[in-house]
Amino acid sequence: MASIFSKIICGEIPSYKIAEDDRYFAFLDINPIAKGHTLVIPKQETDYIFDLEDAELAGLHIFAKRVAQAVEKTVPCKRIAVLVSGLEVPHAHVHLIPLNREAEINVTAPKLKLPHEEMQEIAEKIRSNFE
Ligand code: AMP
């Protein structure tokens, strides 16, 4: 069965899309730790990130770098944290999280509840900064 992220890639499930190319896709995390929290995924569905072929894994990080630069231009922060957890969704993904203090990287803390309009606005701004 297709993962929820594969359904996002093909448009079956809506997302706050940031960017895509032929191999990778980026979109806002629906339960963000911080404003601008973005997920970057390979289009090829693989559960565990370290099962990706070397070139695919390298490409994922290179694409994530471009996305992180766009997030950093959009959301005031010291830098973009990179997190790979992957216990919830069995489709490899990299979290990009705008960070001001290390304590903000707490995946068990209550998530932000942002209105749909604000999520749309953040996604649009990041998209416009993506090069
Ligand atoms: P993990 O697998 O532990 O890295 O967590 C999966 C992440 O995917 C969580 O941060 C969820 O909020 C996020 N997530 C799950 N479903 C969606 C969705 N439909 N759109 C955007 N993000 C999602």
Side-chain angles (χ1 to χ4, degrees), residues 4-5 7 18 25 120 131:
I4 190 166
F5 289 172
K7 290 180 181 172
I18 302 296
F25 192 98
Q120 268 184 327
E131 291 172 9

Side-chain angles (χ1 to χ4, degrees), residues 5 9 18-21 23-29 37-43 49 52 59-68 71 82-84 91-96 130:
F5 289 172
I9 292 166
I18 302 296
E20 72 175 314
D21 69 6
R23 292 196 297 161
Y24 307 105
F25 192 98
F27 55 106
L28 292 184
D29 192 303
H37 179 172
T38 298
L39 301 175
V40 185
I41 61 177
K43 288 188 172 177
I49 193 165
L52 292 172
L60 177 67
H61 286 287
I62 291 165
F63 190 78
K65 177 180 173 181
R66 291 170 61 204
V67 176
V71 175
V82 179
L83 178 77
V84 175
H91 185 140
H93 53 281
V94 171
H95 294 256
L96 300 176
F130 182 77

Side-chain angles (χ1 to χ4, degrees), residues 4-5 8 13-15 27-32 37 39 85-89 93 95 111:
I4 190 166
F5 289 172
I8 284 175
I13 291 179
S15 71
F27 55 106
L28 292 184
D29 192 303
I30 201 82
N31 298 306
H37 179 172
L39 301 175
S85 166
L87 288 178
E88 186 188 316
V89 177
H93 53 281
H95 294 256
K111 305 297 188 295

Side-chain angles (χ1 to χ4, degrees), residues 91-129:
H91 185 140
H93 53 281
V94 171
H95 294 256
L96 300 176
I97 305 167
L99 186 68
N100 287 296
R101 294 186 317 277
E102 271 189 57
E104 290 166 357
I105 299 296
N106 177 1
V107 290
T108 59
K111 305 297 188 295
L112 298 181
K113 291 276 172 243
L114 303 178
H116 171 64
E117 293 71 24
E118 189 172 0
M119 291 289 276
Q120 268 184 327
E121 195 183 322
I122 293 168
E124 205 174 301
K125 283 186 184 157
I126 300 173
R127 268 199 306 275
S128 71
N129 282 322

